[in-house]
Short mmCIF file of all heavy atoms in Angstrom, two decimals:
data_model
loop_
_atom_site.label_atom_id
_atom_site.label_comp_id
_atom_site.label_asym_id
_atom_site.label_seq_id
_atom_site.Cartn_x
_atom_site.Cartn_y
_atom_site.Cartn_z
N ARG N 17 127.48 112.11 97.96
CA ARG N 17 126.50 111.40 98.84
C ARG N 17 125.12 111.34 98.27
O ARG N 17 124.45 110.30 98.29
CB ARG N 17 126.46 112.07 100.19
CG ARG N 17 125.84 111.30 101.30
CD ARG N 17 126.05 111.99 102.64
NE ARG N 17 125.89 113.38 102.75
CZ ARG N 17 126.87 114.26 102.89
NH1 ARG N 17 128.13 113.90 102.99
NH2 ARG N 17 126.59 115.62 102.99
N ARG N 18 124.64 112.47 97.64
CA ARG N 18 123.31 112.47 97.03
C ARG N 18 123.23 111.60 95.84
O ARG N 18 122.24 110.83 95.62
CB ARG N 18 122.97 113.93 96.55
CG ARG N 18 122.56 114.74 97.73
CD ARG N 18 122.23 116.18 97.29
NE ARG N 18 121.94 117.00 98.46
CZ ARG N 18 122.01 118.28 98.43
NH1 ARG N 18 122.29 118.97 97.36
NH2 ARG N 18 121.72 119.02 99.54
N ALA N 19 124.35 111.48 95.07
CA ALA N 19 124.38 110.58 93.90
C ALA N 19 124.39 109.16 94.37
O ALA N 19 123.71 108.35 93.73
CB ALA N 19 125.61 110.94 93.00
N THR N 20 125.09 108.84 95.43
CA THR N 20 125.15 107.50 95.99
C THR N 20 123.76 107.07 96.40
O THR N 20 123.29 105.97 96.13
CB THR N 20 126.11 107.37 97.05
OG1 THR N 20 127.46 107.76 96.60
CG2 THR N 20 126.16 106.01 97.66
N ALA N 21 123.06 108.01 97.20
CA ALA N 21 121.76 107.68 97.63
C ALA N 21 120.76 107.45 96.50
O ALA N 21 119.95 106.47 96.50
CB ALA N 21 121.18 108.76 98.57
N ALA N 22 120.81 108.29 95.47
CA ALA N 22 119.92 108.14 94.30
C ALA N 22 120.21 106.81 93.56
O ALA N 22 119.28 106.12 93.18
CB ALA N 22 120.13 109.30 93.34
N ALA N 23 121.48 106.44 93.43
CA ALA N 23 121.85 105.15 92.79
C ALA N 23 121.32 104.02 93.56
O ALA N 23 120.81 103.03 93.01
CB ALA N 23 123.32 105.12 92.59
N LEU N 24 121.48 104.08 94.89
CA LEU N 24 120.94 102.92 95.73
C LEU N 24 119.44 102.81 95.66
O LEU N 24 118.91 101.68 95.63
CB LEU N 24 121.49 103.11 97.14
CG LEU N 24 122.92 102.82 97.37
CD1 LEU N 24 123.38 103.28 98.76
CD2 LEU N 24 123.26 101.34 97.18
N VAL N 25 118.74 103.95 95.68
CA VAL N 25 117.28 103.93 95.60
C VAL N 25 116.91 103.31 94.24
O VAL N 25 115.92 102.57 94.11
CB VAL N 25 116.67 105.29 95.86
CG1 VAL N 25 115.21 105.37 95.52
CG2 VAL N 25 116.93 105.76 97.27
N ARG N 26 117.57 103.72 93.13
CA ARG N 26 117.27 103.17 91.79
C ARG N 26 117.51 101.67 91.82
O ARG N 26 116.74 100.91 91.25
CB ARG N 26 118.09 103.85 90.74
CG ARG N 26 117.72 105.20 90.35
CD ARG N 26 118.34 105.73 89.11
NE ARG N 26 119.80 105.79 89.22
CZ ARG N 26 120.54 106.85 89.55
NH1 ARG N 26 119.86 107.95 89.79
NH2 ARG N 26 121.82 106.86 89.66
N GLY N 27 118.58 101.22 92.45
CA GLY N 27 118.83 99.81 92.55
C GLY N 27 117.74 99.09 93.34
O GLY N 27 117.36 97.96 92.95
N GLN N 47 115.72 107.94 102.22
CA GLN N 47 115.43 108.57 100.88
C GLN N 47 114.34 107.79 100.14
O GLN N 47 113.41 108.42 99.56
CB GLN N 47 116.69 108.56 99.98
CG GLN N 47 117.81 109.49 100.56
CD GLN N 47 117.41 110.93 100.70
OE1 GLN N 47 116.61 111.41 99.79
NE2 GLN N 47 117.86 111.57 101.70
N PHE N 69 114.79 113.67 91.71
CA PHE N 69 115.66 112.90 92.64
C PHE N 69 116.36 111.77 91.88
O PHE N 69 117.54 111.54 91.95
CB PHE N 69 114.92 112.41 93.84
CG PHE N 69 115.75 111.55 94.76
CD1 PHE N 69 116.64 112.22 95.57
CD2 PHE N 69 115.70 110.21 94.75
CE1 PHE N 69 117.47 111.44 96.45
CE2 PHE N 69 116.47 109.45 95.55
CZ PHE N 69 117.38 110.11 96.46
N LEU N 70 115.58 110.92 91.21
CA LEU N 70 116.07 109.78 90.49
C LEU N 70 116.82 110.00 89.19
O LEU N 70 117.70 109.29 88.83
CB LEU N 70 114.96 108.67 90.30
CG LEU N 70 114.31 108.15 91.53
CD1 LEU N 70 113.19 107.22 91.09
CD2 LEU N 70 115.33 107.42 92.39
N SER N 71 116.36 111.06 88.48
CA SER N 71 116.88 111.43 87.23
C SER N 71 116.97 110.29 86.22
O SER N 71 117.94 110.07 85.48
CB SER N 71 118.30 112.08 87.31
OG SER N 71 119.27 111.16 87.82
#
Side-chain angles (χ1 to χ4, degrees):
R17 192 169 49 249
R18 286 181 183 158
T20 301
L24 287 169
V25 171
R26 283 193 301 267
Q47 298 298 325
F69 178 77
L70 294 178
S71 65

